[in-house]
Protein backbone atom coordinates (compact mmCIF):
# COMPACT_ATOMS: atom_id res chain seq x y z
CA UNK A 1 0.00 0.00 0.00
CA UNK A 2 1.52 3.38 -0.97
CA UNK A 3 2.00 6.20 1.50
CA UNK A 4 -0.07 9.27 0.72
CA UNK A 5 0.33 12.79 2.02
CA UNK A 6 -0.56 16.18 0.59
CA UNK A 7 1.79 19.16 0.69
CA UNK A 8 1.58 22.57 -0.91
CA UNK A 9 4.39 23.12 -3.38
CA UNK A 10 6.14 26.47 -3.58
CA UNK A 11 8.51 27.76 -6.23
CA UNK A 12 12.00 26.60 -5.35
CA UNK A 13 10.86 23.33 -3.75
CA UNK A 14 12.34 20.08 -5.01
CA UNK A 15 10.29 16.91 -4.67
CA UNK A 16 11.53 13.33 -4.61
CA UNK A 17 9.14 10.44 -5.12
CA UNK A 18 10.91 7.11 -4.79
CA UNK A 19 10.53 3.43 -4.09
CA UNK A 20 12.31 1.73 -1.22
CA UNK A 21 14.90 0.45 -3.67
CA UNK A 22 16.42 3.91 -3.27
CA UNK A 23 15.45 5.02 0.23
CA UNK A 24 16.32 1.68 1.87
CA UNK A 25 19.93 1.64 0.63
CA UNK A 26 20.99 5.29 0.37
CA UNK A 27 21.26 7.11 3.71
CA UNK A 28 19.20 10.29 4.07
CA UNK A 29 22.24 12.63 4.22
CA UNK A 30 23.40 11.31 0.83
CA UNK A 31 19.91 11.73 -0.64
CA UNK A 32 19.81 15.32 0.61
CA UNK A 33 23.27 16.08 -0.82
CA UNK A 34 22.32 14.71 -4.23
CA UNK A 35 19.05 16.65 -4.26
CA UNK A 36 20.77 19.90 -3.25
CA UNK A 37 23.72 19.57 -5.64
CA UNK A 38 22.20 21.98 -8.16
CA UNK A 39 21.84 19.55 -11.05
CA UNK A 40 18.63 19.40 -13.06
CA UNK A 41 16.01 16.77 -12.26
CA UNK A 42 17.16 14.30 -14.94
CA UNK A 43 20.81 14.36 -13.83
CA UNK A 44 19.73 14.14 -10.18
CA UNK A 45 17.71 10.98 -10.92
CA UNK A 46 20.78 9.47 -12.60
CA UNK A 47 22.94 10.38 -9.58
CA UNK A 48 20.43 8.88 -7.14
CA UNK A 49 20.17 5.66 -9.14
CA UNK A 50 23.97 5.39 -9.27
CA UNK A 51 24.14 5.82 -5.49
CA UNK A 52 21.59 3.05 -4.99
CA UNK A 53 23.34 0.69 -7.38
CA UNK A 54 26.87 1.40 -6.10
CA UNK A 55 28.92 -1.66 -5.25
CA UNK A 56 28.39 -2.79 -1.70
CA UNK A 57 24.87 -1.42 -1.47
CA UNK A 58 23.30 -4.31 -3.33
CA UNK A 59 20.00 -2.61 -4.02
CA UNK A 60 17.48 -5.29 -2.94
CA UNK A 61 14.69 -3.93 -5.10
CA UNK A 62 14.11 -1.84 -8.18
CA UNK A 63 15.41 1.71 -8.05
CA UNK A 64 12.52 3.95 -9.06
CA UNK A 65 12.53 7.68 -8.50
CA UNK A 66 11.19 10.94 -9.84
CA UNK A 67 12.64 14.37 -9.08
CA UNK A 68 10.47 17.41 -9.74
CA UNK A 69 11.29 21.07 -9.26
CA UNK A 70 8.42 23.42 -8.43
CA UNK A 71 8.66 26.51 -10.62
CA UNK A 72 6.58 29.63 -10.94
CA UNK A 73 4.29 29.71 -13.94
CA UNK A 74 5.17 33.03 -15.59
CA UNK A 75 1.69 33.30 -17.09
CA UNK A 76 -0.17 33.00 -13.78
CA UNK A 77 -0.27 35.61 -11.04
CA UNK A 78 1.34 34.69 -7.73
CA UNK A 79 -1.24 34.52 -4.94
Amino acid sequence: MPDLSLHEGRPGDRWLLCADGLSAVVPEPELKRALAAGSGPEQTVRTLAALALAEGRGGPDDVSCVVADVVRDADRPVR
Side-chain angles (χ1 to χ4, degrees):
M1 172 117 302
D3 291 332
L4 173 67
S5 59
L6 301 175
H7 300 275
E8 183 175 332
R10 295 185 187 107
D13 286 351
R14 174 164 268 194
W15 293 72
L16 170 63
L17 173 66
C18 68
D20 62 353
L22 176 65
S23 60
V25 298
V26 180
E28 188 173 330
E30 285 187 62
L31 291 174
K32 287 180 177 181
R33 264 195 304 280
L35 290 166
S39 299
E42 184 175 345
Q43 181 57 48
T44 302
V45 164
R46 293 177 191 275
T47 298
L48 292 169
L51 287 170
L53 298 172
E55 190 165 333
R57 291 222 160 111
D61 202 352
D62 65 322
V63 179
S64 302
C65 62
V66 175
V67 173
D69 291 334
V70 179
V71 297
R72 184 178 172 283
D73 184 346
D75 296 329
R76 294 179 50 174
V78 175
R79 294 182 195 171

